[in-house]
Amino acid sequence: MSTSFLALVLLERPVTPDMVALAEAVRRRHPELATEIDVGASDVGQGSDGGSVLRCGDQLIVVMSMPAPIPQDPGLWSRATTAWPEANTVAARHRGHLLVSVVGQNQTLLSEARLMTAVIGALIATVAECRAVVWDTKVARPADLWLDLSRQSFAPFPDYPFPLWVDVLPFRTRTGIGAVTMGLTAFVDREIQFETSRLPLDALLERVEGLVVYLIEHGRVLKDGDTFGGDANERIAVRYKNSDQFGMPVFFCTDGSS
């Protein structure tokens, strides 16, 4: 399981964020979060490693400006185009990026994800060159979606912006359809692979998304061999296995129809 997250904010051209404007944007968008430039760095929040440091509550957020594109990852951008057709174009055109991370690990992964999401949303609100965000090397989303959903960073369960952290990708099976997640491993050590020959696609995605949120909130509470669901006619079986299709540890879920 991940012990910390790293986000990459893709830029049309390299820029260094205005940390004063960033702190003001975080306070404006999330007034419940005490935010200031870290006085332990310099008077403009510049760390000795070239990163800029923001204090949010008792946590430090580092923002580093990198004057180069991120490494190529065709799989990442292929997944992104499922819901975002322009993803490959944005990836090809960006010329710089910002690294965003939390210093220290004295909070839960969900708390860290919420905090980083809030700061990234404020970055996008103040840096016009932002074009996309890559979350923890697994999920790529357009900047405008981040700007919108990041306002829900501290919303209560189940309304926090998990689609920025976890992809839910449909696929066809021999007997029906399925959906697999990408990004959930960081929270609970496994992805979800759900297969059905009975449910329509929208219902399948709704079930997988609901399970994603539940696991992020409660941790790895599903055990190998468990069942869950609304009633006796909708029980979903769970097995721990290595996915035959995707080669990674998954909660393999079936509803008795596949």
Side-chain angles (χ1 to χ4, degrees):
M1 187 184 302
S2 294
T3 56
S4 187
F5 294 108
L6 176 67
L8 307 176
V9 182
L10 276 60
L11 304 171
E12 185 173 311
R13 64 180 180 85
V15 295
T16 299
D18 180 336
M19 296 303 287
V20 173
L22 175 58
E24 290 175 350
V26 175
R27 288 192 293 264
R28 183 175 65 252
R29 291 165 60 88
H30 305 282
E32 73 278 21
L33 184 62
T35 304
E36 60 186 0
I37 296 173
D38 182 51
V39 295
S42 75
D43 58 352
V44 293
Q46 296 294 325
S48 59
D49 60 357
S52 300
V53 183
L54 197 69
R55 179 176 292 277
C56 298
D58 60 352
Q59 299 295 314
L60 297 179
I61 305 290
V62 174
V63 180
M64 295 185 66
S65 182
M66 308 296 288
I70 68 173
Q72 293 186 359
D73 184 346
L76 168 70
W77 297 104
S78 177
R79 293 192 301 272
T81 56
T82 302
W84 177 26
E86 300 81 13
N88 281 319
T89 300
V90 171
R93 289 181 177 175
H94 85 283
R95 292 295 177 264
H97 64 282
L98 304 171
L99 284 82
V100 183
S101 62
V102 175
V103 177
Q105 301 171 10
N106 58 339
Q107 60 177 344
T108 67
L109 286 171
L110 176 55
S111 296
E112 181 179 321
R114 289 178 181 274
L115 179 58
M116 286 180 58
T117 301
V119 171
I120 292 167
L123 263 174
I124 294 169
T126 55
V127 179
E129 290 81 1
C130 294
R131 292 294 176 265
V133 179
V134 175
W135 177 261
D136 211 37
T137 75
K138 296 294 190 295
V139 181
R141 297 284 188 260
D144 57 352
L145 182 65
W146 265 85
L147 186 64
D148 181 29
L149 290 186
S150 60
R151 292 187 179 277
Q152 301 169 218
S153 295
F154 302 104
F157 170 83
D159 295 326
Y160 46 73
F162 75 90
L164 301 177
W165 314 326
V166 179
D167 249 337
V168 180
L169 304 164
F171 63 94
R172 291 195 176 277
T173 70
R174 183 175 56 85
T175 59
I177 58 174
V180 65
T181 63
M182 185 65 69
L184 186 62
T185 294
F187 293 95
V188 291
D189 275 343
R190 290 176 179 268
E191 301 296 336
I192 296 167
Q193 182 175 338
F194 194 132
E195 297 186 2
T196 181
S197 60
R198 182 176 62 197
L199 296 173
L201 180 59
D202 57 348
L204 170 64
L205 296 177
E206 182 180 353
R207 280 167 172 76
V208 174
E209 290 168 356
L211 184 54
V212 166
V213 178
Y214 184 82
L215 291 172
I216 291 176
E217 177 74 14
H218 298 287
R220 197 169 67 175
V221 292
L222 288 179
K223 307 303 181 186
D224 189 20
D226 278 356
T227 60
F228 67 95
D231 56 47
N233 296 320
E234 296 182 351
R235 301 308 290 177
I236 297 166
V238 180
R239 286 188 290 134
Y240 284 20
K241 63 175 293 185
N242 241 34
S243 171
D244 297 331
Q245 293 97 320
F246 306 105
M248 59 188 179
V250 296
F251 300 99
F252 186 77
C253 302
T254 57
D255 59 5
S257 64
S258 58

